[in-house]
Amino acid sequence: MEDKLNKGLLLTIAIPVYNTKPELLKRALLSIPDSKYIGVIVYDDGSTDYEYRTLIRDWLKNDPNFSFMNSDRFIFNRSNENKGLGAVRNTLIRKTGSDYIMFLDSDDEVMTDNFGEIIMYLLDNKVDVIYGNISLSVGDNMIEESWRDFVNVRFMIPYFTTCNFYNPEFLIKNDIFYSEDRRVFEDIMFSIRLFYITEIVLQGSNSKCIDKSIYKYNLEGYSLTRTDESKDRLKVLSADLKYWINEIKSFYIVNGSESCRKDQLKPYLFNRLRYEVVKLIEYCMKINGDLDTYKVLLDNLKPYKIDEILSKDI
């Protein structure tokens, strides 16, 4: 891979792919505005389906809707091994030569109606992060999740990381990266550390919230985070959640209760556990689960357990 990618551009939209259905990747690419300020990187994380190179080559030749892919604003890279979503995103944070980076899952879409306003703002201002809203799409229903509501109404750290624009130099300087040790919830400490640095340490002095959706999260699609439906998932998830509980607890202890905002960490942890248990229940309808694993997960899900989980004495 080159030393720096998309050098000189304002924004890079980075799309990790792993055995993504071609029609979903095509939809994701078509949602990106063809702008001289925006570059795209598609990074294939060692897919076992090797059609991507041929597929993209055919698009370059035959589909006028992908004219921007003929320019130096489009890059396709491929790893020979599957490193995981966290590792791919970290690589692209370090390698992008653009002023900002945004992550797009290959089965989702960007909502470009609000991009113009953001681009114009960034041409005149330098910020660490632009926080946007995210729209959750289930069939014909659309639910907008607001960054402001997360923080000011629900008293919760926002856990969506794809609906933001990041200055990669800021992320690197403050050691804000995705986990490469776990492939479940690899964005947990990214979210927590990002919020801690921008909103607690810097008091929002160099971040901006755009109270409009810039990302469409398709809940019925197929993505890197929804590919493993094996029985083994039920058995390893309990260990994964214990790992993240310890990571959050350590962060809380090191940074102190006042600076770390326990009132933010508690609902964050609770909601992430609840989200994963709901997914597991859905899987349970299809396969026979591990009863003991469910008992552990459901026990951790009880709200009164969160204080105990985050306690220094546990």
Side-chain angles (χ1 to χ4, degrees):
M1 185 183 290
E2 299 176 26
D3 182 48
K4 288 292 182 181
L5 303 171
N6 283 344
K7 291 181 286 188
L9 289 172
L10 184 67
L11 171 67
T12 290
I13 297 179
I15 311 176
V17 296
Y18 178 72
N19 289 340
T20 307
K21 294 179 180 178
E23 60 268 23
L24 297 182
L25 176 58
K26 186 171 184 177
R27 182 183 66 184
L29 287 168
L30 283 172
S31 74
I32 298 171
D34 187 1
S35 166
K36 65 180 181 181
Y37 300 111
I38 298 175
V40 177
I41 297 174
V42 174
Y43 191 99
D44 179 16
D45 187 29
S47 292
T48 55
D49 180 350
Y50 293 102
E51 294 183 0
Y52 284 113
R53 287 184 184 275
T54 303
L55 189 69
I56 289 176
R57 191 181 305 118
D58 289 343
W59 287 347
L60 286 170
K61 289 180 179 179
N62 304 318
D63 195 330
N65 294 313
F66 291 96
S67 59
F68 76 92
M69 294 172 64
N70 285 300
S71 72
D72 57 6
R73 292 185 288 110
F74 177 82
I75 295 171
F76 177 83
N77 268 299
R78 187 178 188 279
S79 171
N80 291 323
E81 59 177 312
N82 177 241
K83 299 178 180 179
L85 181 60
V88 171
R89 286 179 174 173
N90 291 342
T91 295
L92 297 176
I93 288 170
R94 294 185 178 99
K95 290 293 185 179
T96 183
S98 60
D99 295 331
Y100 297 92
I101 187 169
M102 175 189 185
F103 296 104
L104 173 61
D105 287 347
S106 53
D107 63 333
D108 294 333
E109 301 163 73
V110 294
M111 302 181 72
T112 59
D113 289 348
N114 299 316
F115 265 54
E117 175 184 340
I118 301 174
I119 294 298
M120 294 305 295
Y121 178 83
L122 291 178
L123 289 173
D124 297 324
N125 300 274
K126 184 77 170 180
V127 295
D128 298 326
V129 182
I130 283 191
Y131 290 110
N133 295 345
I134 189 168
S135 289
L136 310 179
S137 174
V138 185
D140 295 329
N141 298 318
M142 189 84 74
I143 302 171
E144 183 172 353
E145 293 276 16
S146 164
W147 188 90
R148 292 188 190 279
D149 284 347
F150 263 102
V151 176
N152 299 325
V153 178
R154 297 158 69 179
F155 300 107
M156 185 176 173
I157 297 172
Y159 50 76
F160 293 109
T161 65
T162 51
C163 53
N164 307 321
F165 290 5
Y166 307 103
N167 177 343
E169 294 179 357
F170 167 77
L171 296 179
I172 294 169
K173 176 183 175 181
N174 290 283
D175 195 30
I176 302 172
F177 291 104
Y178 293 87
S179 170
E180 299 183 20
D181 297 327
R182 290 290 193 276
R183 297 196 181 191
V184 175
F185 289 161
E186 73 285 322
D187 58 344
I188 278 183
M189 292 312 298
F190 184 100
S191 298
I192 290 176
R193 187 161 182 81
L194 177 71
F195 186 85
Y196 171 69
I197 297 295
T198 61
E199 306 307 308
I200 306 302
V201 175
L202 299 178
Q203 295 289 306
S205 61
N206 203 33
S207 58
K208 180 177 177 61
C209 175
I210 300 290
D211 204 16
K212 297 177 180 178
S213 285
I214 60 174
Y215 193 96
K216 182 180 178 183
Y217 184 76
N218 293 308
L219 292 170
E220 295 179 340
Y222 175 97
S223 73
L224 293 174
T225 58
R226 294 193 289 277
T227 56
D228 183 9
E229 296 189 20
S230 68
K231 295 180 182 180
D232 290 340
R233 178 180 175 84
L234 296 173
K235 297 179 180 179
V236 303
L237 189 59
S238 180
D240 283 329
L241 291 176
K242 289 177 182 177
Y243 172 88
W244 287 120
I245 287 168
N246 287 329
E247 288 290 299
I248 294 173
K249 183 175 67 178
S250 297
F251 184 83
Y252 164 66
I253 293 171
V254 168
N255 291 283
S257 59
E258 293 302 319
S259 61
C260 197
R261 296 283 296 278
K262 188 176 179 181
D263 62 322
Q264 298 280 4
L265 282 175
K266 285 167 57 180
Y268 180 91
L269 178 59
F270 173 73
N271 277 274
R272 294 310 296 266
L273 290 173
R274 180 176 62 184
Y275 172 74
E276 193 61 34
V277 170
V278 168
K279 289 203 299 183
L280 282 174
I281 290 172
E282 291 174 353
Y283 289 139
C284 190
M285 294 177 183
K286 302 177 184 177
I287 59 179
N288 295 322
D290 182 327
L291 183 60
D292 290 335
T293 298
Y294 277 100
K295 287 180 178 178
V296 171
L297 292 170
L298 292 172
D299 193 40
N300 283 335
L301 189 64
K302 296 173 183 176
Y304 66 81
K305 293 282 288 187
I306 299 299
D307 276 324
E308 180 182 339
I309 289 168
L310 288 176
S311 168
K312 297 181 183 180
D313 299 321
I314 296 301

